[in-house]
Amino acid sequence: MENRSAQEIWDAALGELQIQVSKPNFRTWLERTVGLSYQDNHFVISVPNTFVAEYLDKNQRSLIEKTLINLTSSPDIKVTFQVDGRFQNSSGNGHYPWPENTARFNSNYLFDSFVVGDCNRLAYAAAQGVAQNPGRFYNPLYIYGGVGLGKTHLLHAIGHLAQARHIPVICVSAEEFTNEFLRALHEHKTDEFHQRYRNTGMLLIDDIHFICGKKQTEESFFHTFNALHNANRQVVVTSDRPPKAIPFLDKRLRSRFEWGLVVDIQPPDQETRLAILEAKAKERGAFLPQEVLEFIAQRPAQNIRELEGSLNRVIAYAKLLKAPPTAELAAQALEDLADKEPKDASSTPELVIAAVAESFRLSPSDLQGQRRDKETVLARRVAMYLLRQETGCSLAQIGQLLGGRDPSAVTNACKKITLDLKGNLYLKRKIEEVKQKISPESPKKRG
Ligand code: ADP
Ligand code: MG
């Protein structure tokens, strides 16, 4: 028997295995394997990547050994799975090729460049945990927090690490997922779409709230999620709010997200802001005296993108003026910035409505129109509340501005929001977000 080549024996074994395991299983794990060598009861099987090796080793070893023993009539066979480097970069040569590791990650978004502070410590630790032990600890991992706080950064950091370990990763925004799904639907290629997503080793989805309210996309994601979860493949999603605050049409999605670990990222405190500025200045090779960094750090910043913006501005300013960067120069640079903001416009009703709409990813006309879905109703109430707070508009004017609604509706909305604000962190954050949009912080205010 042993004069048959390893490949011949393995081909026969694959024939057997094909009958014994499910079709998708076979395609995913066995189809692209090769019998490499068979010597002294030791059978070596070549596999396309470590991910497959680990999977087969853990889940199919005994079945494979039994099959080989039957085929060769030898008393005992030990199997080893060996990663074949050639497969790593091959593409499209099988009928069901592995999804390529083509995910494009931002090369700056690494764990090493992520500054850890109290505001993001848990999220950071959880992200590292799943990157190092995908599918084992927290599945899914759900990271949420306001804009510019590092969610995408962590997501890509996980992706980088997985890629380095040859785990096939798909990393897309929920918007891309939606578009791809709709295109597949249109072109009658949803099978391929699902095949691609369900065969990945890890799925990273940014800004998951985007799919909410899109029935078919939600459904598609739900099934994809289940398939991956059942196969112990890591799923990580990010969002600007916790699962319970997303009005999914499919309630099961929320509970799926709550199965795993839900962590949030808070705006950075002053100490973290300083640490981030130090790191970013170093990254840019810019030398800024400590007092300048401290000056920038003590300005309140809701998010890190804004912080980076301030830093860049100070650096650019110093360069342009060919002046040494001092705290004074920094103050000047950032003050100019504040002066450019349309401060007087900050309380116009149109701006408030536009800012609310943007925060809820709606359009002003949605707020003024007749939509009654939960999210729109909430956004509309928030708009009423903020118009009342931030502008001199009367109840009747506010009703008018929002599609000719009754003043009593405005009163009720304001009452409801005031009440809800007490216990609803999401709402609180949303309102802060809008307020920030409409009243840019001026350094002058703090003297
Ligand atoms: P989000 O996805 O939460 O809106 P991003 O991940 O896009 O935010 O982060 C915005 C910017 O801030 C990026 O340039 C990112 O590298 C940077 N950033 C965010 N958090 C940190 C951090 N803790 N350390 C260093 N840079 C950070
Ligand atoms: Mg993001």
Side-chain angles (χ1 to χ4, degrees), residues 278-438:
E278 283 167 353
K280 301 275 172 193
K282 204 167 150 203
E283 231 172 69
R284 289 189 190 26
F287 173 77
L288 292 180
Q290 195 64 14
E291 57 154 12
V292 173
L293 297 177
E294 275 167 14
F295 174 81
I296 306 175
Q298 51 90 32
R299 293 163 41 92
Q302 277 300 307
N303 71 56
I304 290 161
R305 205 170 282 138
E306 203 178 299
L307 203 60
E308 284 191 278
S310 299
L311 177 72
N312 289 340
R313 188 166 170 89
V314 172
I315 295 174
Y317 213 84
K319 242 190 210 148
L320 280 172
L321 296 183
K322 297 195 174 62
T326 60
E328 262 166 13
L329 178 129
Q332 209 183 337
L334 300 176
E335 202 161 303
D336 278 4
L337 181 68
D339 281 344
K340 290 223 180 64
E341 309 281 2
K343 253 182 259 147
D344 291 339
S346 68
S347 56
T348 66
E350 288 73 21
L351 196 73
V352 174
I353 294 173
V356 172
E358 189 183 299
S359 271
F360 284 85
R361 292 170 178 264
L362 296 166
S363 70
S365 59
D366 288 330
L367 299 182
Q368 289 150 348
Q370 298 306 316
R371 276 176 63 169
R372 297 289 310 161
D373 58 283
K374 226 165 133 189
E375 190 76 349
T376 311
V377 169
L378 176 65
R380 197 174 288 133
R381 284 196 188 121
V382 167
M384 292 175 173
Y385 171 85
L386 284 174
L387 283 168
R388 191 71 183 143
Q389 270 210 336
E390 306 284 320
T391 70
C393 294
S394 67
L395 293 172
Q397 281 170 331
I398 294 174
Q400 211 49 48
L401 280 162
L402 288 169
R405 292 185 150 77
D406 201 81
S408 67
V410 180
T411 317
N412 287 338
C414 293
K415 274 191 201 152
K416 175 119 184 58
I417 295 290
T418 310
L419 207 69
D420 287 353
L421 263 178
K422 294 210 172 83
N424 188 336
L425 258 181
Y426 164 63
L427 184 61
K428 222 179 194 157
R429 188 176 280 157
K430 270 287 176 207
I431 288 187
E432 269 157 17
E433 189 183 311
V434 178
K435 278 190 179 168
Q436 213 197 324
K437 281 188 212 274
I438 57 183

Side-chain angles (χ1 to χ4, degrees), residues 111 114-131 137-138 141-144 149-151 154 158 236 260-266 269 272:
F111 281 120
F114 192 85
V115 177
V116 184
D118 287 341
C119 55
N120 57 27
R121 198 179 306 280
L122 188 60
Y124 176 82
Q128 278 222 316
V130 302
F137 294 147
Y138 332 106
L141 171 62
Y142 186 108
I143 305 174
Y144 75 93
L149 295 183
K151 303 181 296 293
L154 283 179
I158 296 170
V236 184
L261 180 67
V262 178
V263 291
D264 74 335
I265 306 187
Q266 294 290 330
D269 51 63
T272 312

Side-chain angles (χ1 to χ4, degrees), residues 109 146-153 155 206-207 238 305:
Y109 291 2
V147 172
L149 295 183
K151 303 181 296 293
T152 302
H153 189 132
L155 201 67
D206 212 1
D207 295 321
T238 72
R305 205 170 282 138

